[in-house]
Amino acid sequence: LWVQYVNYWRDLLHLDLGQSLAFYPQTTLEMILRAAPWTIGLLTVSTFMAFGLGTLFGALMAWPRTSGIALGLSPVFMTLSAIPYYLLGMLFIYVVGMRLRLLPVGAAYSAGTDLHLNWATALDIGRHAILPAASIVLASIGSWGLGMRAMMTTVLGEDFLRMAEANGLHSRTIFLRYALRNALLPQITSLAISLAVVMSGAVLVEVIFGYPGVGNLLFTAIANNDYFVIQGITLFIILSIGVVLLALDLVYPLIDPRIRYRRG
């Protein structure tokens, strides 16, 4: 056993993750590298969209001078945060794909399409990604909005906001540069953690829509007892979490100047 363990680490240092048992003679590395761009593209865009929209609407829900429309979004966000993304995905498949026939419901591009760097291929890939991305965004926008509303509520009673109001600053300036910026710091940490697990893929969404990402590859590997592929994907997830959290530690002093002052 110890010889196998040493050999495994020796191969690992040479980026040799073994060959797939279910799709022999393909290697684990080339299968992961082939699936990773689809997952990274889909989940990165979806995560940033959900973060941006949820954070903005959550801040507006807590702001005392906001409109009634933003306040009415609170029950909508609470409802969306309780719905799993795969249920939204199946709903979209039935309503948008099968009943209305507006968008494709499977794969990442049309059958027979040659993948080239042109607008036709980009539009085709974008049309196939709308429904899985929408299910992820709508399912996670509620948690981002509710989290941001809670952080904004804690910031509103701070002394620096009262000082800004006493100095006669514009309401929009107070909202963007004082309230939103300070309440955003925990959200940035959550965003980094969400981006760190992008490599794990939205397994059920990718399986439902037949999207050729890492999540679908992981599901296939588990179903076929493809242990080398499972180990390889797990390794990539661990490495991605470590790299993103390290980047967060390096970038956080640029976001929060108080960290630099405390270190000095």
Side-chain angles (χ1 to χ4, degrees):
L1 290 178
W2 70 269
V3 174
Q4 296 180 28
Y5 185 72
V6 172
N7 290 337
Y8 175 79
W9 274 101
R10 182 194 60 192
D11 295 338
L12 191 62
L13 294 177
H14 292 85
L15 297 180
D16 183 5
L17 301 177
Q19 292 177 311
S20 171
L21 300 177
F23 300 97
Y24 185 86
Q26 297 186 55
T27 64
T28 298
L29 183 61
E30 66 181 16
M31 294 178 66
I32 294 176
L33 293 180
R34 188 167 55 246
W38 299 104
T39 292
I40 293 175
L42 174 65
L43 289 186
T44 301
V45 174
S46 302
T47 301
F48 275 109
M49 289 182 60
F51 170 79
L53 295 175
T55 298
L56 178 60
F57 286 125
L60 290 175
M61 284 190 296
W63 189 243
R65 302 182 185 87
T66 190
S67 63
I69 299 177
L71 296 177
L73 291 174
S74 179
V76 178
F77 282 158
M78 294 180 66
T79 303
L80 289 176
S81 64
I83 301 177
Y85 53 81
Y86 55 87
L87 290 182
L88 287 176
M90 290 189 289
L91 180 64
F92 287 153
I93 289 176
Y94 177 74
V95 176
V96 181
M98 299 178 63
R99 301 291 295 181
L100 301 178
R101 299 184 181 275
L102 297 177
L103 293 170
V105 297
Y109 49 88
S110 300
T113 301
D114 294 328
L115 298 180
H116 298 292
L117 291 177
N118 52 48
W119 285 109
T121 303
L123 290 176
D124 184 61
I125 294 175
R127 289 182 67 250
H128 283 78
I130 289 177
L131 290 185
S135 62
I136 296 173
V137 170
L138 292 179
S140 56
I141 192 175
S143 58
W144 287 114
L146 295 177
M148 188 61 187
R149 186 185 66 171
M151 293 307 304
M152 280 288 292
T153 302
T154 60
V155 169
L156 290 178
E158 296 292 338
D159 294 335
F160 59 84
L161 281 184
R162 299 177 182 175
M163 179 63 70
E165 293 176 355
N167 288 334
L169 296 180
H170 194 274
S171 176
R172 184 172 59 184
T173 302
I174 299 175
F175 173 74
L176 294 176
R177 298 188 59 183
Y178 289 83
L180 181 62
R181 184 178 179 183
N182 285 276
L184 198 61
L185 297 176
Q187 293 283 96
I188 296 295
T189 304
S190 300
L191 175 64
I193 296 175
S194 299
L195 292 176
V197 297
V198 158
M199 276 300 298
S200 64
V203 178
L204 294 179
V205 166
E206 293 184 4
V207 171
I208 290 172
F209 288 96
Y211 207 76
V214 177
N216 198 356
L217 179 62
L218 178 61
F219 176 82
T220 305
I222 294 174
N224 292 289
N225 294 327
D226 202 344
Y227 299 111
F228 294 119
V229 177
I230 297 173
Q231 288 178 339
I233 294 176
T234 304
L235 176 64
F236 268 77
I237 294 173
I238 294 172
L239 291 177
S240 63
I241 293 175
V243 170
V244 172
L245 293 182
L246 175 62
L248 175 65
D249 289 336
L250 297 177
V251 173
Y252 217 97
L254 302 178
I255 302 174
D256 188 358
R258 292 173 296 183
I259 298 178
R260 295 200 305 268
Y261 297 152
R262 182 174 301 175
R263 182 177 60 187

